[in-house]
Amino acid sequence: MIGLGAANLGAAFTGGYPFADGSRATLEVGDTTFELFTEGEYAWPAPADDANVIAAFKRGTDAVITARSSRGTQTKDTFSLLGATAMIEDAEARCSQ
């Protein structure tokens, strides 16, 4: 999921379940891996990585997020990035108005 931060676009993910307390998730796009912080049902990259995550979404074909739920279950979610470039550019254009 891509969201709008105070100054720019940012990436965040909601798993639909609580992540394990103090755990980290990983986001893989192509051969690039990012560490995601977690709290409750949300995961996000460090602010310094937001632009790199957005760039990876624009050039990638799919994104894979691996995490651990509060029950200890290892999860792996795969998302298509088909159309991500158009969506990101549309959001950037709308938010700059």
Side-chain angles (χ1 to χ4, degrees):
M1 174 176 84
I2 307 236
L4 178 63
N8 58 9
L9 291 176
F13 170 74
T14 179
Y17 55 86
F19 294 107
D21 288 341
S23 67
R24 298 285 190 262
T26 59
L27 165 65
E28 296 176 55
V29 181
D31 59 359
T32 305
T33 301
F34 301 94
E35 181 178 57
L36 304 179
F37 299 98
T38 66
E39 184 174 329
E41 295 184 4
Y42 297 94
W44 64 94
D49 285 338
D50 267 339
N52 293 329
V53 170
I54 299 297
F57 284 171
K58 289 170 104 175
R59 70 176 179 270
T61 56
D62 58 18
V64 179
I65 297 176
T66 304
R68 189 168 41 92
S69 77
S70 62
R71 294 181 177 183
T73 305
Q74 188 74 16
T75 63
K76 188 173 189 175
D77 295 287
T78 303
F79 303 92
S80 171
L81 295 174
L82 183 64
T85 298
M87 183 271 307
I88 292 165
E89 290 174 355
D90 184 59
E92 288 171 334
R94 290 170 183 257
C95 294
S96 67
Q97 297 175 354

